């Protein structure tokens, strides 16, 4: 009888041990220390702003600090590489934009695999790319600008992979005489468009917004299916007769490959809660971003489709990785 009681006790202890080691139990205790959110771009940009808004709310919910750390360089590669090499325990996360899925199309010898090297958590928000011109540009509508670009060259500034390929997608869709002009950052594009040194520029809403509000720039085109409340006079490319010119700048949250599904699900659920805060929702909306919170599996599928879309654009345009 004693042996039976001893065996039952041992089995009970084993059951408790297994429960303690189960992913769900680990996720229930997570996080037990501060979480670092790597932003692989310079401070003050759109990704940095969005990350800090979200980090503040998650800190409040988790009772642990969420520290935003900027690691800029090589169009996001330096910071992303750091996260890819980190422990997959959920304490080092990564917030990137759409260029993360485009880097394999345009860059040779990436130090990581953008699919296998990371755990997709969610596509947090989306915001369309916009085409801007100076306030003095004679083209008053996107139709005017497209018409002019069919007969004479139009320089279009770009600063990274997605803006470059968006300009190429526009050229292909409209059979336009556009000339891509490379810049190191969106801020310099705005300066040169305002100064009349380049005819137009593709950029993010956040980069364009302060210059539009100051009256120095006009958003003339929106690379989405619908117009934006922020820029009600700006036409979509579809309205101008150019189908398929859609380019959504998205904010994606990742961890290193091999993260616990339970922790991934917890982060996604907690983001669903904190983004319901009216103040946060308004801040995102004021910056032209729409919260979408794509589920992890759906986000993974989206990444593959997005990379293929831009690979096709690059192939048609004869653009080779460098």
């Amino acid at each position: 009888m004693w042996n039976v009681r001893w065996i039952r006790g041992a089995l009970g202890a084993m059951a408790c041990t297994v429960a303690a080691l189960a992913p769900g139990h680990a996720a229930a205790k997570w996080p037990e220390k501060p979480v670092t959110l790597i932003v692989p771009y310079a401070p003050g940009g759109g990704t940095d702003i969005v990350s800090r808004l979200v980090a503040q709310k998650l800190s409040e919910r988790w009772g642990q600090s969420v520290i935003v750390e900027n690691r800029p360089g090589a169009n996001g590669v330096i910071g992303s590489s750091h996260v890819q090499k980190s422990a997959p325990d959920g304490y080092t996360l990564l917030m990137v934009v759409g260029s993360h899925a485009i880097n394999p199309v345009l860059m040779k010898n990436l130090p990581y695999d953008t699919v296998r090297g990371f755990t997709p958590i969610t596509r947090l928000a989306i915001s369309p790319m916009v085409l801007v011109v100076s306030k003095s540009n004679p083209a008053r509508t996107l139709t005017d600008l497209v018409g002019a670009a069919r007969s004479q060259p139009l320089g279009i500034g770009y600063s990274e992979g997605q803006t470059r390929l968006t300009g190429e997608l526009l050229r292909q869709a409209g059979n336009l005489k556009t000339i891509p002009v490379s810049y190191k950052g969106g801020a310099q594009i705005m300066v040169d468009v305002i100064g009349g040194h380049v005819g137009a520029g593709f950029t993010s809403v956040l980069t364009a917004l302060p210059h539009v509000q100051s009256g120095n720039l006009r958003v003339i085109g929106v690379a989405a299916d619908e117009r934006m409340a922020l820029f009600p006079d700006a036409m979509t490319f579809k309205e101008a007769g150019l189908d398929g010119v859609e380019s959504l700048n998205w904010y994606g949250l990742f961890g290193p490959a091999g993260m616990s599904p339970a922790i991934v699900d917890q982060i996604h659920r907690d983001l669903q809660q904190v983004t319901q805060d009216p103040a946060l929702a308004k801040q995102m909306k004021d910056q032209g971003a729409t919260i979408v919170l794509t589920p992890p599996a759906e986000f993974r599928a989206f990444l593959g489709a997005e990379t293929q879309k831009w690979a096709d654009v690059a192939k048609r345009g004869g653009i080779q990785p460098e």
Side-chain angles (χ1 to χ4, degrees):
M1 192 69 176
W2 180 87
N3 287 338
V4 172
R5 288 198 301 270
W6 184 88
I7 292 170
R8 286 176 178 169
L11 289 174
M14 288 174 63
C16 290
T17 301
V18 170
L21 293 175
H25 191 276
K29 294 170 59 179
W30 182 92
E32 296 181 304
K33 62 181 182 180
V35 175
T36 299
L37 177 56
I38 299 294
V39 174
Y41 315 108
T47 317
D48 185 58
I49 292 170
V50 169
S51 296
R52 292 180 189 280
L53 289 174
V54 172
Q56 179 185 348
K57 293 299 179 182
L58 287 177
S59 295
E60 295 169 2
R61 183 168 181 83
W62 291 340
Q64 295 285 352
S65 297
V66 179
I67 303 163
V68 176
E69 181 180 322
N70 298 90
R71 288 192 175 223
N75 199 28
V77 172
I78 291 176
S80 298
S81 183
H82 172 77
V83 174
Q84 184 263 330
K85 296 174 183 175
S86 299
D89 53 12
Y91 290 103
T92 305
L93 304 176
L94 174 71
M95 185 78 81
V96 293
V97 292
S99 59
H100 180 80
I102 296 173
N103 281 343
V105 177
L106 297 178
M107 301 176 72
K108 286 182 178 178
N109 304 319
L110 279 177
Y112 50 76
D113 186 310
T114 54
V115 176
R116 297 182 180 88
F118 301 90
T119 298
I121 299 173
T122 190
R123 184 176 59 151
L124 177 70
I126 58 175
S127 179
M129 288 291 178
V130 293
L131 185 65
V132 299
V133 296
S134 71
K135 63 179 181 181
S136 58
N137 193 298
R140 305 313 299 172
T141 68
L142 182 58
T143 303
D144 295 338
L145 191 73
V146 168
R150 286 198 172 108
S151 58
Q152 58 189 20
L154 171 68
I156 297 183
Y158 71 87
S159 60
E160 42 85 15
Q162 188 164 355
T163 53
R164 177 186 183 184
L165 291 179
T166 303
E168 174 60 23
L169 181 59
L170 171 61
R171 185 195 68 77
Q172 294 173 9
N175 193 25
L176 307 182
K177 295 182 178 181
T178 57
I179 302 171
V181 183
S182 175
Y183 289 86
K184 291 185 177 180
Q188 188 58 48
I189 297 176
M190 302 303 98
V191 170
D192 277 9
V193 172
I194 292 169
H197 305 298
V198 64
F202 266 114
T203 191
S204 67
V205 170
L206 279 176
T207 300
L209 191 57
H211 303 285
V212 174
Q213 291 172 334
S214 69
N216 290 319
L217 285 180
R218 289 185 290 119
V219 172
I220 202 168
V222 175
D225 288 339
E226 298 179 355
R227 292 195 184 197
M228 298 185 67
L230 275 176
F231 314 117
D233 296 329
M235 299 171 65
T236 67
F237 288 94
K238 187 174 182 179
E239 287 179 293
L242 302 176
D243 289 334
V245 183
E246 180 180 79
S247 182
L248 298 178
N249 186 34
W250 48 267
Y251 301 97
L253 185 65
F254 293 82
M259 276 183 64
S260 160
I263 293 178
V264 171
D265 289 342
Q266 180 185 334
I267 295 172
H268 189 260
R269 287 195 308 272
D270 289 341
L271 281 169
Q272 288 177 316
Q273 291 297 318
V274 301
T275 53
Q276 290 178 16
D277 180 275
L280 176 61
K282 183 179 185 303
Q283 285 175 305
M284 296 286 278
K285 184 178 179 181
D286 288 347
Q287 295 172 69
T290 301
I291 297 171
V292 290
L293 288 175
T294 307
E298 192 177 316
F299 184 31
R300 184 182 292 276
F302 165 81
L303 289 168
E306 187 78 346
T307 299
Q308 188 59 55
K309 168 188 171 177
W310 293 115
D312 292 343
V313 171
K315 184 177 180 180
R316 290 196 301 267
I319 298 174
Q320 299 293 325
E322 299 173 355

